[in-house]
Amino acid sequence: QLLRYSLLTAHSDSESSESQSSEEEGGKVFIEYGAGKGLLGMSINLLDRTSSLLFVERSGNRKKIDKILAERNCRFQRFRLDIRHCYVPSLPFVADVIASSETEKEEKKPRQHSVTIVAKHLCGVATDMAILSLRHVTPSASLHCGVAIATCCHHACQYDDYVGREMWLDRF
């Protein structure tokens, strides 16, 4: 009931406080890895209704929040795949943002576009894989990339998947 109250309150507040259209702001895509129910993505949508959401989950689609996001006319999609196989530039919404940023490079005042990876619970080396998944997205003056991840389960890390092997070998 608290969640429902929060949604209703945030829904009415965000409608009244929306001051800029998505055309003025540029494209913003948030990719939530280990999405589960999708609560983090929904929280982002409560704060910014103009952004697009992509939910990536390896083990299953719980889809608890999908109905609420659909009622809010949120642009979102879910994918069931392993992060190690996620090629970010080919994802819907991301491809659009990259294309828009490329065509607007020549403009004097290009819109600011962004691709941000978020997660609130990525086990083991999934954090490293999430960071690596952005390697094919080239930041520019009009395209920014970001990462906000809460890590966990470090005991589950496998040496072969760890990103920083060369650094550790060089230093020790």
Side-chain angles (χ1 to χ4, degrees):
Q1 289 179 354
L2 179 61
L3 175 62
R4 183 174 292 192
Y5 173 76
S6 299
L7 286 172
L8 294 174
T9 304
H11 179 69
S12 61
D13 290 347
S14 62
E15 283 184 326
S16 62
S17 65
E18 246 178 75
S19 60
Q20 291 183 317
S21 69
S22 59
E23 286 80 24
E24 293 169 346
E25 293 178 353
K28 292 177 278 183
V29 179
F30 290 90
I31 303 167
E32 182 181 355
Y33 284 132
K37 296 175 186 174
L39 287 170
L40 181 58
M42 187 199 61
S43 299
I44 291 167
N45 181 257
L46 288 172
L47 296 172
D48 181 2
R49 292 190 60 177
T50 63
S51 60
S52 301
L53 303 173
L54 296 171
F55 299 115
V56 177
E57 178 69 38
R58 181 178 70 174
S59 60
N61 295 335
R62 295 184 185 102
K63 299 183 181 181
K64 299 285 184 185
I65 300 301
D66 293 18
K67 182 178 177 184
I68 295 169
L69 290 173
E71 290 171 357
R72 293 175 50 77
N73 295 320
C74 174
R75 287 175 33 125
F76 75 98
Q77 282 189 356
R78 281 191 179 268
F79 295 93
R80 186 174 180 182
L81 71 135
D82 194 311
I83 295 171
R84 82 174 72 232
H85 304 299
C86 186
Y87 183 69
V88 172
S90 68
L91 293 173
F93 311 141
V94 176
D96 297 341
V97 165
I98 292 172
S100 294
S101 71
E102 290 295 320
T103 58
E104 294 173 5
K105 276 184 180 178
E106 305 303 320
E107 294 180 12
K108 290 184 179 183
K109 195 174 183 181
R111 297 181 300 165
Q112 296 299 304
H113 303 279
S114 65
V115 175
T116 306
I117 290 176
V118 297
K120 63 179 181 179
H121 182 96
L122 280 182
C123 294
V125 294
T127 301
D128 293 328
M129 290 178 192
I131 294 167
L132 279 177
S133 72
L134 268 180
R135 72 182 174 269
H136 299 292
V137 179
T138 306
S140 65
S142 62
L143 178 63
H144 303 282
C145 297
V147 176
I149 297 174
T151 62
C152 69
C153 303
H154 302 287
H155 65 280
C157 292
Q158 299 289 325
Y159 182 75
D160 292 338
D161 292 327
Y162 185 68
V163 175
R165 290 188 307 244
E166 295 81 18
M167 180 195 72
W168 289 110
L169 291 173
D170 290 344
R171 291 191 181 188
F172 300 107

